Amino acid sequence: MKPMIAIESLVRENIRNMKPYSSARNEFSGTADIYLDANENPYQTGYNRYPDPDQRLLKEKISELIDAQPDQLFLGNGSDEAIDLLIRAFCEPGKDSILITEPTYGMYSVCAEINGVPIKKASLTGDFELNANDVLSNINESTKLVFLCSPNNPSGNLLNQDEVLKVIRGFNGLVIIDEAYIDFTNDKGFVQYLTAYPNLVILRTFSKAWGLAGLRLGIAIASKEIIRVLTKIKYPYNVNSVTQHLALDALQNEKLKNEWVTEIIKERESLKMELQKLSSVVEVFPSSANFLLVKFLDSSFVFSTLIKKKIIVRDRSNVQLCNGCLRITVGTPNENKILLEALNQL
Ligand SMILES: *Cc1c(COP(=O)(O)O)cnc(C)c1O
């Protein structure tokens, strides 16, 4: 355990002092026969009513799946919304900074830049491992948020748990751990540490294992103090009715998600084995996600040849520590077979 951090004292002053918008559905959240409070069209279209601004049913269902209470959950328009709101709530533009560990997911720095928030960069080690001492030595009084990603995008590896805990213990701002790919590992991730460390925020998403990228639904899991801040500044109806309904449907069928995950992991391992046999491949990095980072002798030739064959992978060759690397998402068995045939013909 570490001494309590007063979350309120980390929040930007204007956010701390503001009064949030209160919608019609916030002010009356029970059930009634006649709703004349929100200027909706009374005729049924299926969508003539505003959605639940607090997503109560959905949060309850999600809390049964994740070891957290409904009031420890924030739901947003993708995890991208949570990333943006964390920066806007805690970082004074031009003054406070965030820290990222390269190579990592691009949205942390994009959201910081949009908000005029300076970005400090630490580097992962050569094998994409977290060096806690290096991260902590790059932090100063202006640093409010540290973003970690585990399994990391684009490298695919889980970060070492002890190193992550060392960052959490050694830093007095918020540590955000993006677990978008956690379903593809047996690792439990960091939700189990939320009680011990109130400065921890975990991000999850419906975009990857759940197969619902098109719905846009992301989750932030944290202490209820942090969740209250994010909820205070979100758009009132940030998660639409269709998303709420379809996510509830998906949660009824967790088994299907687990079957996809099992299949994708199996395919990942056989794709990795086949890729390692190719003479064009230098290295396939270990992955705990649904993609492989692959270093090629000539990645730009491979990339453009695949495009000609109408196969698109992600060029990461200009990213730190990823020289010569392409990131390849694991597809269906048939898609992976076609990819391997194309690579064999190089
Ligand atoms: C794909 C991905 C996400 C998902 O973002 P959404 O906005 O929820 O679709 C989040 N973090 C990382 C690292 C990702 O790769």
Side-chain angles (χ1 to χ4, degrees), residues 76-81 83 104-108 149-153 178-181 203-208 212-213 216-219 291 327:
N77 186 358
S79 354
D80 293 344
E81 183 182 0
I83 294 166
T104 195
Y105 185 50
M107 281 306 288
Y108 317 134
C149 185
S150 181
N152 187 47
N153 181 0
D178 187 339
E179 296 186 340
Y181 300 99
L203 302 180
R204 298 273 182 93
T205 181
F206 279 77
S207 296
K208 306 289 156 63
L212 296 173
R216 311 306 303 130
L217 184 60
I219 314 171
F291 58 83
R327 194 195 67 196

PDB file of all heavy atoms in Angstrom, residues 76-81 83 104-108 149-153 178-181 203-208 212-213 216-219 291 327, ligand 1:
ATOM      1  N   GLY A  76     -17.244   4.853 -22.551  1.00  0.00           N
ATOM      2  CA  GLY A  76     -17.088   5.944 -23.509  1.00  0.00           C
ATOM      3  C   GLY A  76     -17.183   5.485 -24.945  1.00  0.00           C
ATOM      4  O   GLY A  76     -17.262   4.290 -25.236  1.00  0.00           O
ATOM      5  N   ASN A  77     -17.155   6.474 -25.848  1.00  0.00           N
ATOM      6  CA  ASN A  77     -17.206   6.265 -27.289  1.00  0.00           C
ATOM      7  C   ASN A  77     -15.826   5.737 -27.740  1.00  0.00           C
ATOM      8  O   ASN A  77     -15.025   6.450 -28.308  1.00  0.00           O
ATOM      9  CB  ASN A  77     -17.547   7.617 -27.927  1.00  0.00           C
ATOM     10  CG  ASN A  77     -17.765   7.531 -29.420  1.00  0.00           C
ATOM     11  OD1 ASN A  77     -17.641   6.479 -30.032  1.00  0.00           O
ATOM     12  ND2 ASN A  77     -18.064   8.652 -30.011  1.00  0.00           N
ATOM     13  N   GLY A  78     -15.574   4.468 -27.433  1.00  0.00           N
ATOM     14  CA  GLY A  78     -14.241   3.878 -27.595  1.00  0.00           C
ATOM     15  C   GLY A  78     -13.361   4.228 -26.406  1.00  0.00           C
ATOM     16  O   GLY A  78     -13.692   5.141 -25.640  1.00  0.00           O
ATOM     17  N   SER A  79     -12.237   3.486 -26.234  1.00  0.00           N
ATOM     18  CA  SER A  79     -11.294   3.882 -25.158  1.00  0.00           C
ATOM     19  C   SER A  79     -10.687   5.232 -25.482  1.00  0.00           C
ATOM     20  O   SER A  79     -10.199   5.927 -24.597  1.00  0.00           O
ATOM     21  CB  SER A  79     -10.160   2.888 -24.939  1.00  0.00           C
ATOM     22  OG  SER A  79     -10.292   1.747 -25.699  1.00  0.00           O
ATOM     23  N   ASP A  80     -10.725   5.593 -26.761  1.00  0.00           N
ATOM     24  CA  ASP A  80     -10.185   6.893 -27.150  1.00  0.00           C
ATOM     25  C   ASP A  80     -10.856   8.031 -26.381  1.00  0.00           C
ATOM     26  O   ASP A  80     -10.203   9.009 -26.020  1.00  0.00           O
ATOM     27  CB  ASP A  80     -10.355   7.107 -28.657  1.00  0.00           C
ATOM     28  CG  ASP A  80      -9.494   6.147 -29.475  1.00  0.00           C
ATOM     29  OD1 ASP A  80      -8.565   5.540 -28.898  1.00  0.00           O
ATOM     30  OD2 ASP A  80      -9.738   5.999 -30.685  1.00  0.00           O
ATOM     31  N   GLU A  81     -12.159   7.906 -26.105  1.00  0.00           N
ATOM     32  CA  GLU A  81     -12.825   8.962 -25.336  1.00  0.00           C
ATOM     33  C   GLU A  81     -12.244   9.046 -23.922  1.00  0.00           C
ATOM     34  O   GLU A  81     -12.006  10.144 -23.404  1.00  0.00           O
ATOM     35  CB  GLU A  81     -14.346   8.752 -25.257  1.00  0.00           C
ATOM     36  CG  GLU A  81     -15.017   9.912 -24.515  1.00  0.00           C
ATOM     37  CD  GLU A  81     -16.526   9.791 -24.323  1.00  0.00           C
ATOM     38  OE1 GLU A  81     -17.133   8.792 -24.755  1.00  0.00           O
ATOM     39  OE2 GLU A  81     -17.090  10.726 -23.730  1.00  0.00           O
ATOM     40  N   ILE A  83      -9.250   8.216 -22.949  1.00  0.00           N
ATOM     41  CA  ILE A  83      -7.895   8.788 -23.039  1.00  0.00           C
ATOM     42  C   ILE A  83      -7.988  10.313 -23.105  1.00  0.00           C
ATOM     43  O   ILE A  83      -7.314  11.037 -22.368  1.00  0.00           O
ATOM     44  CB  ILE A  83      -7.156   8.226 -24.281  1.00  0.00           C
ATOM     45  CG1 ILE A  83      -6.910   6.719 -24.119  1.00  0.00           C
ATOM     46  CG2 ILE A  83      -5.841   8.974 -24.526  1.00  0.00           C
ATOM     47  CD1 ILE A  83      -6.493   5.994 -25.406  1.00  0.00           C
ATOM     48  N   THR A 104       4.605   2.937 -28.617  1.00  0.00           N
ATOM     49  CA  THR A 104       3.304   2.632 -28.017  1.00  0.00           C
ATOM     50  C   THR A 104       2.170   3.130 -28.907  1.00  0.00           C
ATOM     51  O   THR A 104       2.399   3.693 -29.976  1.00  0.00           O
ATOM     52  CB  THR A 104       3.213   3.213 -26.588  1.00  0.00           C
ATOM     53  OG1 THR A 104       2.102   2.614 -25.910  1.00  0.00           O
ATOM     54  CG2 THR A 104       3.034   4.732 -26.593  1.00  0.00           C
ATOM     55  N   TYR A 105       0.944   2.923 -28.449  1.00  0.00           N
ATOM     56  CA  TYR A 105      -0.267   3.334 -29.156  1.00  0.00           C
ATOM     57  C   TYR A 105      -0.245   4.845 -29.397  1.00  0.00           C
ATOM     58  O   TYR A 105       0.109   5.612 -28.496  1.00  0.00           O
ATOM     59  CB  TYR A 105      -1.459   2.928 -28.295  1.00  0.00           C
ATOM     60  CG  TYR A 105      -2.834   3.145 -28.875  1.00  0.00           C
ATOM     61  CD1 TYR A 105      -3.158   2.698 -30.153  1.00  0.00           C
ATOM     62  CD2 TYR A 105      -3.820   3.769 -28.113  1.00  0.00           C
ATOM     63  CE1 TYR A 105      -4.442   2.882 -30.662  1.00  0.00           C
ATOM     64  CE2 TYR A 105      -5.108   3.944 -28.604  1.00  0.00           C
ATOM     65  CZ  TYR A 105      -5.404   3.502 -29.882  1.00  0.00           C
ATOM     66  OH  TYR A 105      -6.668   3.675 -30.370  1.00  0.00           O
ATOM     67  N   GLY A 106      -0.645   5.264 -30.594  1.00  0.00           N
ATOM     68  CA  GLY A 106      -0.489   6.660 -30.981  1.00  0.00           C
ATOM     69  C   GLY A 106      -1.461   7.649 -30.358  1.00  0.00           C
ATOM     70  O   GLY A 106      -1.193   8.855 -30.333  1.00  0.00           O
ATOM     71  N   MET A 107      -2.602   7.164 -29.845  1.00  0.00           N
ATOM     72  CA  MET A 107      -3.642   8.109 -29.421  1.00  0.00           C
ATOM     73  C   MET A 107      -3.290   8.909 -28.161  1.00  0.00           C
ATOM     74  O   MET A 107      -3.837   9.986 -27.950  1.00  0.00           O
ATOM     75  CB  MET A 107      -4.985   7.387 -29.209  1.00  0.00           C
ATOM     76  CG  MET A 107      -5.744   7.086 -30.487  1.00  0.00           C
ATOM     77  SD  MET A 107      -6.030   8.538 -31.536  1.00  0.00           S
ATOM     78  CE  MET A 107      -7.284   9.421 -30.599  1.00  0.00           C
ATOM     79  N   TYR A 108      -2.385   8.371 -27.324  1.00  0.00           N
ATOM     80  CA  TYR A 108      -2.049   9.122 -26.105  1.00  0.00           C
ATOM     81  C   TYR A 108      -1.425  10.467 -26.481  1.00  0.00           C
ATOM     82  O   TYR A 108      -1.812  11.513 -25.965  1.00  0.00           O
ATOM     83  CB  TYR A 108      -1.071   8.344 -25.201  1.00  0.00           C
ATOM     84  CG  TYR A 108      -1.385   6.873 -25.059  1.00  0.00           C
ATOM     85  CD1 TYR A 108      -0.382   5.904 -25.176  1.00  0.00           C
ATOM     86  CD2 TYR A 108      -2.680   6.438 -24.818  1.00  0.00           C
ATOM     87  CE1 TYR A 108      -0.656   4.554 -25.057  1.00  0.00           C
ATOM     88  CE2 TYR A 108      -2.966   5.089 -24.707  1.00  0.00           C
ATOM     89  CZ  TYR A 108      -1.948   4.151 -24.837  1.00  0.00           C
ATOM     90  OH  TYR A 108      -2.225   2.821 -24.737  1.00  0.00           O
ATOM     91  N   CYS A 149       0.950   0.495 -21.852  1.00  0.00           N
ATOM     92  CA  CYS A 149       0.064  -0.321 -22.674  1.00  0.00           C
ATOM     93  C   CYS A 149       0.524  -1.768 -22.555  1.00  0.00           C
ATOM     94  O   CYS A 149       1.670  -2.086 -22.873  1.00  0.00           O
ATOM     95  CB  CYS A 149       0.165   0.173 -24.116  1.00  0.00           C
ATOM     96  SG  CYS A 149      -0.980  -0.619 -25.247  1.00  0.00           S
ATOM     97  N   SER A 150      -0.352  -2.655 -22.061  1.00  0.00           N
ATOM     98  CA  SER A 150       0.048  -4.033 -21.806  1.00  0.00           C
ATOM     99  C   SER A 150      -1.129  -4.994 -22.026  1.00  0.00           C
ATOM    100  O   SER A 150      -2.112  -4.896 -21.304  1.00  0.00           O
ATOM    101  CB  SER A 150       0.567  -4.157 -20.360  1.00  0.00           C
ATOM    102  OG  SER A 150       0.976  -5.468 -20.089  1.00  0.00           O
ATOM    103  N   PRO A 151      -1.037  -5.918 -22.977  1.00  0.00           N
ATOM    104  CA  PRO A 151       0.013  -6.101 -23.973  1.00  0.00           C
ATOM    105  C   PRO A 151       0.203  -4.829 -24.807  1.00  0.00           C
ATOM    106  O   PRO A 151      -0.770  -4.159 -25.127  1.00  0.00           O
ATOM    107  CB  PRO A 151      -0.508  -7.241 -24.840  1.00  0.00           C
ATOM    108  CG  PRO A 151      -1.466  -8.000 -23.971  1.00  0.00           C
ATOM    109  CD  PRO A 151      -2.089  -6.972 -23.088  1.00  0.00           C
ATOM    110  N   ASN A 152       1.475  -4.574 -25.130  1.00  0.00           N
ATOM    111  CA  ASN A 152       1.784  -3.307 -25.792  1.00  0.00           C
ATOM    112  C   ASN A 152       1.495  -3.361 -27.295  1.00  0.00           C
ATOM    113  O   ASN A 152       1.771  -4.342 -27.963  1.00  0.00           O
ATOM    114  CB  ASN A 152       3.267  -2.985 -25.568  1.00  0.00           C
ATOM    115  CG  ASN A 152       3.640  -1.607 -26.082  1.00  0.00           C
ATOM    116  OD1 ASN A 152       2.932  -0.624 -25.815  1.00  0.00           O
ATOM    117  ND2 ASN A 152       4.723  -1.517 -26.815  1.00  0.00           N
ATOM    118  N   ASN A 153       0.938  -2.274 -27.803  1.00  0.00           N
ATOM    119  CA  ASN A 153       0.785  -2.066 -29.236  1.00  0.00           C
ATOM    120  C   ASN A 153       1.887  -1.084 -29.654  1.00  0.00           C
ATOM    121  O   ASN A 153       1.964  -0.021 -29.059  1.00  0.00           O
ATOM    122  CB  ASN A 153      -0.601  -1.465 -29.497  1.00  0.00           C
ATOM    123  CG  ASN A 153      -0.883  -1.238 -30.963  1.00  0.00           C
ATOM    124  OD1 ASN A 153      -0.061  -1.519 -31.822  1.00  0.00           O
ATOM    125  ND2 ASN A 153      -2.055  -0.701 -31.251  1.00  0.00           N
ATOM    126  N   ASP A 178      -3.340   0.555 -20.435  1.00  0.00           N
ATOM    127  CA  ASP A 178      -4.260   0.241 -21.529  1.00  0.00           C
ATOM    128  C   ASP A 178      -4.214  -1.264 -21.788  1.00  0.00           C
ATOM    129  O   ASP A 178      -3.209  -1.800 -22.263  1.00  0.00           O
ATOM    130  CB  ASP A 178      -3.819   1.041 -22.764  1.00  0.00           C
ATOM    131  CG  ASP A 178      -4.811   0.933 -23.925  1.00  0.00           C
ATOM    132  OD1 ASP A 178      -5.594  -0.031 -23.950  1.00  0.00           O
ATOM    133  OD2 ASP A 178      -4.770   1.817 -24.806  1.00  0.00           O
ATOM    134  N   GLU A 179      -5.304  -1.938 -21.444  1.00  0.00           N
ATOM    135  CA  GLU A 179      -5.369  -3.399 -21.581  1.00  0.00           C
ATOM    136  C   GLU A 179      -6.308  -3.811 -22.727  1.00  0.00           C
ATOM    137  O   GLU A 179      -7.054  -4.780 -22.606  1.00  0.00           O
ATOM    138  CB  GLU A 179      -5.814  -4.030 -20.257  1.00  0.00           C
ATOM    139  CG  GLU A 179      -4.810  -3.811 -19.136  1.00  0.00           C
ATOM    140  CD  GLU A 179      -5.134  -4.547 -17.850  1.00  0.00           C
ATOM    141  OE1 GLU A 179      -6.315  -4.932 -17.645  1.00  0.00           O
ATOM    142  OE2 GLU A 179      -4.216  -4.726 -17.026  1.00  0.00           O
ATOM    143  N   ALA A 180      -6.218  -3.097 -23.846  1.00  0.00           N
ATOM    144  CA  ALA A 180      -7.087  -3.386 -24.993  1.00  0.00           C
ATOM    145  C   ALA A 180      -6.977  -4.851 -25.443  1.00  0.00           C
ATOM    146  O   ALA A 180      -7.944  -5.419 -25.952  1.00  0.00           O
ATOM    147  CB  ALA A 180      -6.742  -2.459 -26.161  1.00  0.00           C
ATOM    148  N   TYR A 181      -5.796  -5.448 -25.234  1.00  0.00           N
ATOM    149  CA  TYR A 181      -5.553  -6.809 -25.751  1.00  0.00           C
ATOM    150  C   TYR A 181      -5.495  -7.863 -24.649  1.00  0.00           C
ATOM    151  O   TYR A 181      -5.062  -8.987 -24.897  1.00  0.00           O
ATOM    152  CB  TYR A 181      -4.249  -6.824 -26.564  1.00  0.00           C
ATOM    153  CG  TYR A 181      -4.305  -5.887 -27.741  1.00  0.00           C
ATOM    154  CD1 TYR A 181      -3.739  -4.620 -27.674  1.00  0.00           C
ATOM    155  CD2 TYR A 181      -4.961  -6.257 -28.910  1.00  0.00           C
ATOM    156  CE1 TYR A 181      -3.811  -3.742 -28.744  1.00  0.00           C
ATOM    157  CE2 TYR A 181      -5.049  -5.386 -29.987  1.00  0.00           C
ATOM    158  CZ  TYR A 181      -4.468  -4.135 -29.893  1.00  0.00           C
ATOM    159  OH  TYR A 181      -4.552  -3.275 -30.962  1.00  0.00           O
ATOM    160  N   LEU A 203      -7.702   0.639 -18.865  1.00  0.00           N
ATOM    161  CA  LEU A 203      -8.563   0.801 -20.039  1.00  0.00           C
ATOM    162  C   LEU A 203      -8.824  -0.557 -20.678  1.00  0.00           C
ATOM    163  O   LEU A 203      -7.910  -1.358 -20.847  1.00  0.00           O
ATOM    164  CB  LEU A 203      -7.909   1.729 -21.066  1.00  0.00           C
ATOM    165  CG  LEU A 203      -7.555   3.143 -20.617  1.00  0.00           C
ATOM    166  CD1 LEU A 203      -6.912   3.910 -21.773  1.00  0.00           C
ATOM    167  CD2 LEU A 203      -8.792   3.883 -20.111  1.00  0.00           C
ATOM    168  N   ARG A 204     -10.073  -0.810 -21.006  1.00  0.00           N
ATOM    169  CA  ARG A 204     -10.463  -2.011 -21.745  1.00  0.00           C
ATOM    170  C   ARG A 204     -11.342  -1.558 -22.914  1.00  0.00           C
ATOM    171  O   ARG A 204     -11.820  -0.425 -22.939  1.00  0.00           O
ATOM    172  CB  ARG A 204     -11.269  -2.966 -20.840  1.00  0.00           C
ATOM    173  CG  ARG A 204     -10.490  -3.480 -19.621  1.00  0.00           C
ATOM    174  CD  ARG A 204      -9.708  -4.724 -19.949  1.00  0.00           C
ATOM    175  NE  ARG A 204      -8.984  -5.250 -18.786  1.00  0.00           N
ATOM    176  CZ  ARG A 204      -9.460  -6.172 -17.952  1.00  0.00           C
ATOM    177  NH1 ARG A 204     -10.663  -6.685 -18.132  1.00  0.00           N
ATOM    178  NH2 ARG A 204      -8.726  -6.600 -16.945  1.00  0.00           N
ATOM    179  N   THR A 205     -11.599  -2.454 -23.839  1.00  0.00           N
ATOM    180  CA  THR A 205     -12.392  -2.072 -25.002  1.00  0.00           C
ATOM    181  C   THR A 205     -13.199  -3.244 -25.541  1.00  0.00           C
ATOM    182  O   THR A 205     -12.819  -4.400 -25.345  1.00  0.00           O
ATOM    183  CB  THR A 205     -11.481  -1.511 -26.122  1.00  0.00           C
ATOM    184  OG1 THR A 205     -12.294  -1.140 -27.232  1.00  0.00           O
ATOM    185  CG2 THR A 205     -10.452  -2.535 -26.592  1.00  0.00           C
ATOM    186  N   PHE A 206     -14.299  -2.921 -26.218  1.00  0.00           N
ATOM    187  CA  PHE A 206     -15.079  -3.931 -26.927  1.00  0.00           C
ATOM    188  C   PHE A 206     -14.601  -4.085 -28.378  1.00  0.00           C
ATOM    189  O   PHE A 206     -15.178  -4.837 -29.144  1.00  0.00           O
ATOM    190  CB  PHE A 206     -16.572  -3.572 -26.897  1.00  0.00           C
ATOM    191  CG  PHE A 206     -17.252  -3.955 -25.602  1.00  0.00           C
ATOM    192  CD1 PHE A 206     -17.081  -3.184 -24.465  1.00  0.00           C
ATOM    193  CD2 PHE A 206     -18.031  -5.105 -25.519  1.00  0.00           C
ATOM    194  CE1 PHE A 206     -17.682  -3.540 -23.267  1.00  0.00           C
ATOM    195  CE2 PHE A 206     -18.630  -5.471 -24.335  1.00  0.00           C
ATOM    196  CZ  PHE A 206     -18.459  -4.692 -23.196  1.00  0.00           C
ATOM    197  N   SER A 207     -13.539  -3.331 -28.736  1.00  0.00           N
ATOM    198  CA  SER A 207     -13.128  -3.268 -30.144  1.00  0.00           C
ATOM    199  C   SER A 207     -12.311  -4.463 -30.620  1.00  0.00           C
ATOM    200  O   SER A 207     -12.161  -4.653 -31.815  1.00  0.00           O
ATOM    201  CB  SER A 207     -12.304  -2.005 -30.393  1.00  0.00           C
ATOM    202  OG  SER A 207     -13.079  -0.856 -30.185  1.00  0.00           O
ATOM    203  N   LYS A 208     -11.722  -5.244 -29.725  1.00  0.00           N
ATOM    204  CA  LYS A 208     -10.800  -6.272 -30.173  1.00  0.00           C
ATOM    205  C   LYS A 208     -11.415  -7.666 -29.959  1.00  0.00           C
ATOM    206  O   LYS A 208     -12.111  -8.163 -30.823  1.00  0.00           O
ATOM    207  CB  LYS A 208      -9.441  -6.100 -29.462  1.00  0.00           C
ATOM    208  CG  LYS A 208      -8.852  -4.695 -29.625  1.00  0.00           C
ATOM    209  CD  LYS A 208      -8.357  -4.428 -31.031  1.00  0.00           C
ATOM    210  CE  LYS A 208      -8.312  -2.965 -31.429  1.00  0.00           C
ATOM    211  NZ  LYS A 208      -7.428  -2.105 -30.680  1.00  0.00           N
ATOM    212  N   LEU A 212     -16.397  -5.849 -31.664  1.00  0.00           N
ATOM    213  CA  LEU A 212     -17.377  -4.768 -31.809  1.00  0.00           C
ATOM    214  C   LEU A 212     -16.725  -3.410 -32.051  1.00  0.00           C
ATOM    215  O   LEU A 212     -17.198  -2.381 -31.552  1.00  0.00           O
ATOM    216  CB  LEU A 212     -18.275  -4.716 -30.559  1.00  0.00           C
ATOM    217  CG  LEU A 212     -19.153  -5.961 -30.330  1.00  0.00           C
ATOM    218  CD1 LEU A 212     -19.861  -5.879 -28.975  1.00  0.00           C
ATOM    219  CD2 LEU A 212     -20.179  -6.128 -31.443  1.00  0.00           C
ATOM    220  N   ALA A 213     -15.662  -3.408 -32.851  1.00  0.00           N
ATOM    221  CA  ALA A 213     -14.950  -2.140 -33.109  1.00  0.00           C
ATOM    222  C   ALA A 213     -15.884  -1.084 -33.699  1.00  0.00           C
ATOM    223  O   ALA A 213     -15.755   0.108 -33.413  1.00  0.00           O
ATOM    224  CB  ALA A 213     -13.764  -2.377 -34.039  1.00  0.00           C
ATOM    225  N   ARG A 216     -18.035   1.253 -31.135  1.00  0.00           N
ATOM    226  CA  ARG A 216     -17.334   2.272 -30.341  1.00  0.00           C
ATOM    227  C   ARG A 216     -17.738   2.190 -28.868  1.00  0.00           C
ATOM    228  O   ARG A 216     -18.607   2.924 -28.394  1.00  0.00           O
ATOM    229  CB  ARG A 216     -17.592   3.703 -30.872  1.00  0.00           C
ATOM    230  CG  ARG A 216     -17.419   3.909 -32.348  1.00  0.00           C
ATOM    231  CD  ARG A 216     -16.050   3.457 -32.842  1.00  0.00           C
ATOM    232  NE  ARG A 216     -14.980   4.129 -32.155  1.00  0.00           N
ATOM    233  CZ  ARG A 216     -13.925   3.503 -31.589  1.00  0.00           C
ATOM    234  NH1 ARG A 216     -13.803   2.194 -31.649  1.00  0.00           N
ATOM    235  NH2 ARG A 216     -12.993   4.178 -30.969  1.00  0.00           N
ATOM    236  N   LEU A 217     -17.160   1.266 -28.136  1.00  0.00           N
ATOM    237  CA  LEU A 217     -17.416   1.189 -26.702  1.00  0.00           C
ATOM    238  C   LEU A 217     -16.126   0.839 -25.972  1.00  0.00           C
ATOM    239  O   LEU A 217     -15.541  -0.223 -26.189  1.00  0.00           O
ATOM    240  CB  LEU A 217     -18.507   0.146 -26.397  1.00  0.00           C
ATOM    241  CG  LEU A 217     -18.921   0.048 -24.922  1.00  0.00           C
ATOM    242  CD1 LEU A 217     -19.478   1.370 -24.392  1.00  0.00           C
ATOM    243  CD2 LEU A 217     -19.947  -1.064 -24.712  1.00  0.00           C
ATOM    244  N   GLY A 218     -15.689   1.764 -25.142  1.00  0.00           N
ATOM    245  CA  GLY A 218     -14.483   1.557 -24.343  1.00  0.00           C
ATOM    246  C   GLY A 218     -14.800   1.701 -22.866  1.00  0.00           C
ATOM    247  O   GLY A 218     -15.808   2.315 -22.495  1.00  0.00           O
ATOM    248  N   ILE A 219     -13.944   1.130 -22.028  1.00  0.00           N
ATOM    249  CA  ILE A 219     -14.170   1.133 -20.582  1.00  0.00           C
ATOM    250  C   ILE A 219     -12.941   1.688 -19.874  1.00  0.00           C
ATOM    251  O   ILE A 219     -11.820   1.309 -20.199  1.00  0.00           O
ATOM    252  CB  ILE A 219     -14.379  -0.313 -20.052  1.00  0.00           C
ATOM    253  CG1 ILE A 219     -15.347  -1.095 -20.937  1.00  0.00           C
ATOM    254  CG2 ILE A 219     -14.831  -0.305 -18.606  1.00  0.00           C
ATOM    255  CD1 ILE A 219     -15.407  -2.587 -20.578  1.00  0.00           C
ATOM    256  N   PHE A 291      -2.078  -9.833 -32.791  1.00  0.00           N
ATOM    257  CA  PHE A 291      -1.259  -9.407 -33.924  1.00  0.00           C
ATOM    258  C   PHE A 291       0.179  -9.839 -33.659  1.00  0.00           C
ATOM    259  O   PHE A 291       0.538 -10.206 -32.537  1.00  0.00           O
ATOM    260  CB  PHE A 291      -1.344  -7.887 -34.112  1.00  0.00           C
ATOM    261  CG  PHE A 291      -0.912  -7.100 -32.901  1.00  0.00           C
ATOM    262  CD1 PHE A 291       0.424  -6.829 -32.657  1.00  0.00           C
ATOM    263  CD2 PHE A 291      -1.858  -6.648 -31.977  1.00  0.00           C
ATOM    264  CE1 PHE A 291       0.832  -6.122 -31.536  1.00  0.00           C
ATOM    265  CE2 PHE A 291      -1.463  -5.936 -30.848  1.00  0.00           C
ATOM    266  CZ  PHE A 291      -0.114  -5.674 -30.633  1.00  0.00           C
ATOM    267  N   ARG A 327       3.376  -4.721 -38.666  1.00  0.00           N
ATOM    268  CA  ARG A 327       2.476  -5.309 -37.679  1.00  0.00           C
ATOM    269  C   ARG A 327       1.347  -6.001 -38.428  1.00  0.00           C
ATOM    270  O   ARG A 327       0.646  -5.380 -39.234  1.00  0.00           O
ATOM    271  CB  ARG A 327       1.915  -4.223 -36.754  1.00  0.00           C
ATOM    272  CG  ARG A 327       1.242  -4.775 -35.498  1.00  0.00           C
ATOM    273  CD  ARG A 327       0.403  -3.725 -34.805  1.00  0.00           C
ATOM    274  NE  ARG A 327      -0.736  -3.351 -35.632  1.00  0.00           N
ATOM    275  CZ  ARG A 327      -1.479  -2.261 -35.449  1.00  0.00           C
ATOM    276  NH1 ARG A 327      -1.202  -1.422 -34.465  1.00  0.00           N
ATOM    277  NH2 ARG A 327      -2.498  -1.994 -36.244  1.00  0.00           N
TER     278      ARG A 327
HETATM  279  C1  LIG B   1      -7.228  -0.915 -30.577  1.00  0.00           C
HETATM  280  C2  LIG B   1      -6.723  -0.236 -29.366  1.00  0.00           C
HETATM  281  C3  LIG B   1      -7.594   0.444 -28.523  1.00  0.00           C
HETATM  282  C4  LIG B   1      -9.063   0.499 -28.826  1.00  0.00           C
HETATM  283  O1  LIG B   1      -9.531   1.771 -28.907  1.00  0.00           O
HETATM  284  P1  LIG B   1     -11.107   1.962 -29.064  1.00  0.00           P
HETATM  285  O2  LIG B   1     -11.228   3.443 -29.103  1.00  0.00           O
HETATM  286  O3  LIG B   1     -11.736   1.368 -27.830  1.00  0.00           O
HETATM  287  O4  LIG B   1     -11.528   1.271 -30.302  1.00  0.00           O
HETATM  288  C5  LIG B   1      -7.103   1.016 -27.372  1.00  0.00           C
HETATM  289  N1  LIG B   1      -5.802   0.916 -27.059  1.00  0.00           N
HETATM  290  C6  LIG B   1      -4.931   0.265 -27.841  1.00  0.00           C
HETATM  291  C7  LIG B   1      -3.525   0.137 -27.433  1.00  0.00           C
HETATM  292  C8  LIG B   1      -5.364  -0.314 -29.029  1.00  0.00           C
HETATM  293  O5  LIG B   1      -4.477  -0.942 -29.809  1.00  0.00           O
END
